[in-house]
Amino acid sequence: MNAHSSLRKRAARSGAALVTAGVLVALSVPSVASAAEGDTTIDVYDVNDFHGRIAQSLSTPPRSGDAAGAAVLAGALDQLRGDDPSTSAFVSAGDNIGASTFESFIQQDQPTIDVLNAMDLSVSAIGNHELDKGRADLQDRVIGPDDARNAQWDYVSANILDRATGEPAFDPYSIQEISGKRVGFIGATVDLTGLVSPDGIASLEMADITDSVNAVATDLLDGDAANGEADVLVLIVHDGAETAAASDLDGDSAFARAVHGVTPDVSAILSGHTHQTYVHDVVPDGGTVPRPVIQTGSYGFNLGHLQLTVAADGSVTATGEDIRLVDGTFAPDAGVAATVAAAVAEADVLGAVELGTTDVDMRRAVQTDGSENRGGESTLGNFVAEVQRTATADRQGSQIAFMNPGGLRADLLGGTVTYKEAALVQPFANTLVVLDLTGAQVEQALEQQWQPPSATGRPFLKLGVSDGFAYTYDPAAATGSRITSMTLDGAAIDPATTYKVTVNSFLASGGDNFTAFAGAAAKQDSGTVDLEAQVEYFETNRDVTVADDQRSVGATLTPTPAGGFQPGDRVSLALSSLLFSNAADQPTSVQVSAGDQVLATADIDPAVVDTTDEQGRATLAFDVPTAVAPAARAAADTTDEPLVVTVGATRIALPVTIPLAVAVDPTDPTDPGTPGGPGTDPTDPGTDPGAPGTPADPGAPGAPGVDPVVEDGAGPGAQGAPTAADGSLAYTGAELLAPAAAAGLLLLAGITAMVIARRRRLQR
């Protein structure tokens, strides 16, 4: 149906109203002045971000995020709209489908489309989740052809443009006849960049909301549109304020600019996307009359109500409210309840298959209020990343995998895992893509976890990381230089080496602003859907033990002095990201060590830090150990050991080393410190005949060809760790005890230069 010519008079829904009109007014209608003679009253009811929540899901007491269920939503509309639906309309601010619960998701959201059709939905803005599967899916399947429509409402957006023509790709508005007046509903959509897979919307581009809406409003009110002018204009926009605070409407976001900048001829704004609940009145730029700005939360928790009064002279006044649906006020609609029951029954059959078990809960990160924190590392995110790496390891050679937190839509609880539970975790049906990325590109992707201002409304998005990959970062560093080290299976990531990296198709196209993934030299779509990979993983590993090590640790360190740290130097270390925000039996203390010496231990502050991954903080300070050998002994008698953070199952090395005394074998007859050994001189003050020696160093003081030695027992054996040329390293697990690899890597040029600089510093 072409929205430009859509003039609908909806047929009355079957069945009588459930309560009397008197009770209806008491429950739902905001306080307004009595209508004057010649005034026309128009009622508009709206939802936003329904996300396929067709089944009821309530807490006791109800809280934000609960779902009243489609049957209750339909029952409320039955009651509120009464026997004559021509005086009102039901509309949506978008995201009706997508990110849905299992009973809708497993059936491609057809049950949600069916119940919204039954509720006589008239118009909806296009939300970002309407485009989860791309433009073609929305046009051809969700909406359907004109002669066989699936969604029987108008989907509108004025600022989604066809890239080839520059014209709106969808109907920009819909005109509905309500109470004898022509109401123009103009649609608009949040900038889709980073919110949906770029490949699916490659033929689309975004325009500014305010400019696009104002252009359509001018056409409608001037009578230049195909079917003449509208009497009243309402904006339904899938974008909104980040919080319920009225002050958020005065910022510089695209939505705040629209609230003030959209022409005063638009009488009200119905918003969505941010899942907030608010009713504000704002006087637009150039106007004198406040207009309501409404959002209803999400999932059908509330039903928005906008009342428009058109005076005889054509002037419009508007009031708004949110009507609570989760407190039992409204009886469910029997017909919609039957549709939901059938969908749930079908989903139960499809989802009851048992896949395997997990030993503990795997949960997403949380904020201080218990809501989801996409900025926090989680056992679930790391598990899914490992599942996807495993699925693409044999055929595509994957070495590393990353998972975006927004792709995780439910927790996975311990015990038996069913197909339904697995499907709820990842409802988007992305395929797995293996990328060829250099180490430098991997680092760039990790840097992009710190999001551009106002890009997604979230300042930080924490990538889940597969087993064997780990990194350190400095949260206090400047943008673009926060990642301080990366390792894979204990070996430092080489910036120039190409690695096989698995991500889902959303990330592969640069979703969530991770443009480094889109820049891969080669992409190989595995054809495996993310849910399919998880099912196969459980088939292979029936009883899954959840890894509980941190894959990244934040560390802000005392600046390393020229020539490196020296014995006696004071080192201060601020650590973060030591704990998961939502996991049981977590450690309470952290230690830092070098070689086999524990240098400091501290208690961990477990407080959650909202929107970030900084939960689990501790500050440690220690002095670099001082050897007992005389001060004239040279630096060649020490070995540079990395600082290693140990917290629970996590052992991760920091990109800095300190000198420790070398332990040597006193029975070695070639040791210059052993009596009788070649090159010893018991009268030489630069030697110690009773102490074990070290390899010859002609540049050190003492007897010719002999390097001064550390006294017996002054330090641990040299057990190095994998180190990059710049001294950076990070890894977890038993790799710390890999002396063979460590010994070779300690000879790298960066470490050698540090030793020489230290020796010169001591000599000075």
Side-chain angles (χ1 to χ4, degrees), residues 488-750:
L488 177 61
D489 297 328
I493 292 288
D494 179 5
T497 297
T498 296
Y499 299 87
K500 296 288 188 180
V501 178
T502 299
V503 294
N504 59 41
S505 52
F506 172 76
L507 282 178
S509 298
D512 274 345
N513 300 296
F514 286 99
T515 57
F517 295 133
K523 297 182 180 182
Q524 182 181 3
D525 194 318
S526 69
T528 300
V529 176
D530 48 17
L531 176 57
E532 179 186 358
Q534 192 171 169
V535 171
E536 291 176 352
Y537 188 87
F538 275 105
E539 289 175 348
T540 304
N541 308 277
R542 292 286 299 178
D543 301 313
V544 174
T545 299
V546 178
D548 59 357
D549 58 307
Q550 297 283 327
R551 307 288 159 84
S552 69
V553 166
T556 303
L557 215 74
T558 302
T560 304
F565 286 109
Q566 298 299 311
D569 284 350
R570 187 70 171 170
V571 180
S572 177
L573 177 62
L575 298 174
S576 60
S577 187
L578 298 175
L579 301 176
F580 297 107
S581 64
N582 201 1
D585 300 324
Q586 300 202 81
T588 59
S589 64
V590 59
Q591 72 176 33
V592 62
S593 60
D596 61 1
Q597 293 191 40
V598 176
L599 302 174
T601 302
D603 292 335
I604 298 173
D605 176 2
V608 171
V609 183
D610 287 346
T611 75
T612 75
D613 189 38
E614 300 308 294
Q615 53 264 28
R617 291 167 293 170
T619 300
L620 303 92
F622 59 89
D623 294 327
V624 177
T626 303
V628 297
R633 302 295 164 84
D637 293 323
T638 64
T639 182
D640 292 285
E641 293 284 356
L643 293 178
V644 177
V645 173
T646 302
V647 52
T650 302
R651 302 181 72 186
I652 193 163
L654 303 178
V656 67
T657 60
I658 64 168
L660 290 181
V662 175
V664 297
D665 184 359
T667 65
D668 184 355
T670 65
D671 192 307
T674 304
T680 60
D681 181 357
T683 65
D684 187 339
T687 63
D688 185 345
T694 60
D697 181 353
V706 181
D707 193 41
V709 297
V710 178
E711 294 184 6
D712 190 25
Q719 294 196 0
T723 312
D726 62 356
S728 66
L729 45 108
Y731 51 92
T732 59
E735 293 86 356
L736 283 169
L737 302 178
L745 288 167
L746 282 172
L747 296 178
L748 291 172

Side-chain angles (χ1 to χ4, degrees), residues 118-467:
M119 286 182 239
D120 212 17
L121 183 66
S122 297
V123 189
S124 176
I126 296 174
N128 54 289
H129 281 285
E130 263 81 21
L131 288 159
D132 277 343
K133 297 181 180 179
R135 175 183 183 176
D137 180 74
L138 175 59
Q139 289 178 326
D140 300 340
R141 182 186 66 85
V142 176
I143 298 174
D146 286 344
D147 59 350
R149 288 183 65 91
N150 187 15
Q152 294 170 19
W153 60 87
D154 294 337
Y155 260 125
V156 293
S157 182
N159 68 316
I160 301 179
L161 308 182
D162 182 271
R163 189 176 297 276
T165 67
E167 297 296 320
F170 301 89
D171 292 331
Y173 67 90
S174 172
I175 293 187
Q176 302 291 316
E177 187 170 304
I178 310 171
S179 295
K181 297 294 183 181
R182 297 162 61 91
V183 181
F185 291 96
I186 305 173
T189 305
V190 66
D191 188 349
L192 297 171
T193 306
L195 294 177
V196 298
S197 177
D199 287 348
I201 58 169
S203 64
L204 302 176
E205 61 184 7
M206 302 302 299
D208 180 74
I209 291 175
T210 302
D211 292 344
S212 300
V213 171
N214 285 344
V216 173
T218 297
D219 286 346
L220 289 175
L221 292 180
D222 286 350
D224 293 335
N227 286 287
E229 64 183 24
D231 300 307
V232 184
L233 297 181
V234 174
L235 170 60
I236 48 175
V237 53
H238 191 73
D239 199 358
E242 289 301 324
T243 75
S247 58
D248 273 4
L249 302 182
D250 296 325
D252 192 41
S253 68
F255 178 71
R257 293 196 301 271
V259 165
H260 290 275
V262 163
T263 173
D265 292 325
V266 172
S267 298
I269 298 176
L270 306 178
S271 64
H273 184 57
T274 53
H275 294 213
Q276 299 297 317
T277 304
Y278 51 75
V279 179
H280 299 307
D281 290 310
V282 179
V283 177
D285 296 346
T288 58
V289 178
R291 64 182 169 201
V293 180
I294 304 172
Q295 191 174 163
T296 72
S298 60
Y299 308 151
F301 188 94
N302 296 306
L303 180 65
H305 177 211
L306 170 68
Q307 189 170 81
L308 303 163
T309 302
V310 184
D313 63 1
S315 61
V316 181
T317 57
T319 59
E321 66 172 342
D322 279 326
I323 303 170
R324 192 177 175 94
L325 298 185
V326 293
D327 55 8
T329 301
F330 302 101
D333 177 277
V336 171
T339 301
V340 172
V344 170
E346 178 65 14
D348 286 343
V349 173
L350 298 173
V353 177
E354 294 184 5
L355 302 180
T357 67
T358 64
D359 59 338
V360 297
D361 294 348
M362 286 185 280
R363 297 181 180 273
R364 295 162 293 172
V366 295
Q367 314 268 29
T368 51
D369 64 359
S371 61
E372 179 190 5
N373 174 20
R374 295 187 186 177
E377 184 172 358
S378 69
T379 53
L380 182 62
N382 290 345
F383 168 72
V384 170
E386 175 59 15
V387 166
Q388 297 182 357
R389 187 202 65 80
T390 301
T392 50
D394 290 341
R395 285 186 295 172
Q396 286 82 29
S398 175
Q399 300 163 280
I400 306 167
F402 297 110
M403 178 62 194
N404 60 304
L408 305 172
R409 291 295 175 153
D411 300 329
L412 196 61
L413 303 185
T416 299
V417 177
T418 65
Y419 181 83
K420 178 178 180 178
E421 290 168 332
L424 290 177
V425 172
Q426 300 175 89
F428 298 115
N430 288 306
T431 57
L432 305 186
V433 182
V434 180
L435 312 176
D436 283 0
L437 295 175
T438 64
Q441 288 175 305
V442 172
E443 180 178 352
Q444 182 188 10
L446 294 175
E447 292 283 0
Q448 289 171 347
Q449 293 175 117
W450 287 268
Q451 293 278 293
S454 302
T456 63
R458 296 179 173 91
F460 186 76
L461 293 177
K462 187 71 173 183
L463 292 171
V465 175
S466 58
D467 294 355

